[in-house]
Amino acid sequence: MSNAEPKSGAWHKRLYSFCSMENRVALESMHRSDHSRFRQAHDFVPDFSKAERRTRIVIGITAVMMVLEITVGLFSHSMALLADGWHMSTHVTAFLITAVAYYLARRHASNVRFSFGTGKIGVLGGFASAVVLAVVALLMAGESVRRLFAPLTIHFNEAIGIACLGLAVNLGCAFLLKDDHHSEGHSHGSAHQHDLNLRAAYLHVLADAFTSVLAIVALSGGKFFGWAWLDPVVGVVGSGVVFSWAYTLLRDTSGILLDRTPPSSDLPEEIRRAVESDGDSLVTDLHVWQVGTGKFAAIVSIVAHQPKSSDEYRELLRGHRELAHLTIETQHCREHEPIS
């Protein structure tokens, strides 16, 4: 017999000494009953296996392209190839962050130490990728400004060829990473209905494809019209657009990580409206936050002269399938105590 058993037995004896025979029978019956229907699951992460497979494919394609550009650039002494190869290495890093986030979210999905599941691991991956994207945009801007004042000789034919090849690769990767997932239930802000981890990877290839298009336009202008200044100017414009994408992703992911109620979500108002529809119940405290892709948790404190049961309040909110975890606290207001 273990050391814990005597303590447990003593506790039961003390408890039983204060219970009537009927209560003892009820207590024993409760301990033997199946309570699984009263427990809530905390795995709010949908099946991202398809997105994870696509990300791995994109990592392979991008890594091969990166190694090819760096190798050919070293042998041909082409700075354009080397620069684009090292630039692509930042995207490989971002894709690895995406893949690792998927793996960790899946591996720890049933780990009870994650109080509200592992849905935010993907959001954290998206945030890290957004930081990388912002750094890339700043480096692009700095290099473009430097070349405005210290222009370099551009090998237009070689650079245009690499830009076209890079554009083709990035368009193919963008097609693979396009998020076609749509969450069920009510819409509470499109930014919070998508996989932000996949969206971060998608923005990386989209940014690279966008800069490739700008590079082709600028290099063509330099080759056919002698507008060498167009290349660094377009680089500055492109870096500004890429940074704005990174900022949007940083804003969306940081809000979720800090448990901020999404500004575009009307879920808190709908919860109040449903609970207070009887004219007696009043929501005195409400917390709503996102725990996964299109999934929310809420803690609702209710005061009423004639409070309903928790099940009755839950029934009022049953239509909100995006509300994955709900905790309800009720308080009884006496007749002489006005509800304000």
Side-chain angles (χ1 to χ4, degrees):
M1 183 178 293
S2 65
N3 293 332
E5 288 180 353
K7 294 181 180 178
S8 176
W11 180 84
H12 278 292
K13 288 178 181 178
R14 288 196 298 270
L15 178 63
Y16 280 10
S17 66
F18 293 101
C19 293
S20 65
M21 181 58 69
E22 293 80 2
N23 288 339
R24 291 179 187 179
V25 173
L27 188 62
E28 285 290 343
S29 177
M30 184 182 72
H31 283 298
R32 289 194 298 265
S33 300
D34 181 14
H35 302 134
S36 59
R37 65 190 181 93
F38 297 106
R39 298 189 180 98
Q40 296 189 50
H42 296 92
D43 183 8
F44 307 124
V45 180
D47 183 10
F48 285 138
S49 57
K50 186 177 180 181
E52 189 175 357
R53 286 195 302 271
R54 290 178 175 183
T55 302
R56 290 174 180 174
I57 294 172
V58 169
I59 290 174
I61 294 173
T62 309
V64 168
M65 185 69 186
M66 176 193 72
V67 172
L68 179 63
E69 287 187 342
I70 292 175
T71 303
V72 175
L74 287 172
F75 280 100
S76 64
H77 305 288
S78 169
M79 191 59 208
L81 277 174
L82 279 174
D84 198 57
W86 288 117
H87 168 72
M88 192 160 283
S89 69
T90 62
H91 295 305
V92 173
T93 302
F95 299 148
L96 285 173
I97 291 173
T98 301
V100 169
Y102 279 134
Y103 168 74
L104 291 176
R106 175 168 45 82
R107 180 184 178 187
H108 297 289
S110 58
N111 190 335
V112 295
R113 298 185 67 181
F114 290 87
S115 297
F116 287 94
T118 57
K120 287 187 179 180
I121 292 181
V123 179
L124 183 61
F127 180 85
S129 293
V131 171
V132 174
L133 190 61
V135 170
V136 169
L138 292 174
L139 291 176
M140 286 171 57
E143 180 63 18
S144 298
V145 170
R146 189 182 72 82
R147 291 199 178 193
L148 270 174
F149 296 98
L152 300 176
T153 302
I154 301 174
H155 303 283
F156 291 107
N157 291 333
E158 185 180 67
I160 290 173
I162 291 300
C164 290
L165 179 60
L167 176 61
V169 169
N170 284 305
L171 287 177
C173 292
F175 177 78
L176 285 173
L177 293 175
K178 190 175 187 305
D179 184 10
D180 54 3
H181 173 76
H182 298 286
S183 298
E184 296 180 351
H186 298 269
S187 175
H188 295 283
S190 59
H192 306 278
Q193 301 296 319
H194 294 280
D195 176 9
L196 293 178
N197 192 29
L198 186 64
R199 181 183 163 199
Y202 178 69
L203 283 181
H204 270 275
V205 295
L206 201 63
D208 221 16
F210 176 71
T211 54
S212 294
V213 171
L214 292 181
I216 292 170
V217 172
L219 292 170
S220 298
K223 177 182 178 181
F224 296 109
F225 303 103
W227 298 342
W229 53 268
L230 190 60
D231 183 61
V233 168
V234 166
V236 172
V237 174
S239 67
V241 174
V242 172
F243 186 83
S244 69
W245 291 346
Y247 171 78
T248 301
L249 188 58
L250 283 169
R251 181 195 63 200
D252 292 341
T253 53
S254 62
I256 297 173
L257 292 173
L258 295 173
D259 291 335
R260 183 185 64 190
T261 302
S264 57
S265 173
D266 60 350
L267 185 56
E269 288 74 20
E270 291 192 16
I271 291 175
R272 288 184 183 275
R273 190 181 305 116
V275 171
E276 297 176 352
S277 60
D278 61 0
D280 178 43
S281 301
L282 180 70
V283 176
T284 56
D285 197 15
L286 176 62
H287 301 276
V288 178
W289 69 99
Q290 191 165 352
V291 293
T293 303
K295 298 296 182 182
F296 294 82
I299 299 175
V300 190
S301 294
I302 305 167
V303 62
H305 289 111
Q306 296 179 333
K308 297 181 175 69
S309 67
S310 295
D311 287 340
E312 289 177 294
Y313 285 120
R314 288 178 186 277
E315 188 63 33
L316 295 173
L317 301 170
R318 193 170 298 280
H320 295 278
R321 287 180 290 178
E322 76 280 15
L323 196 53
H325 195 283
L326 179 62
T327 303
I328 296 175
E329 177 190 43
T330 59
Q331 300 179 59
H332 185 208
C333 181
R334 307 301 176 184
E335 290 296 331
H336 64 279
E337 296 176 344
I339 299 178
S340 59

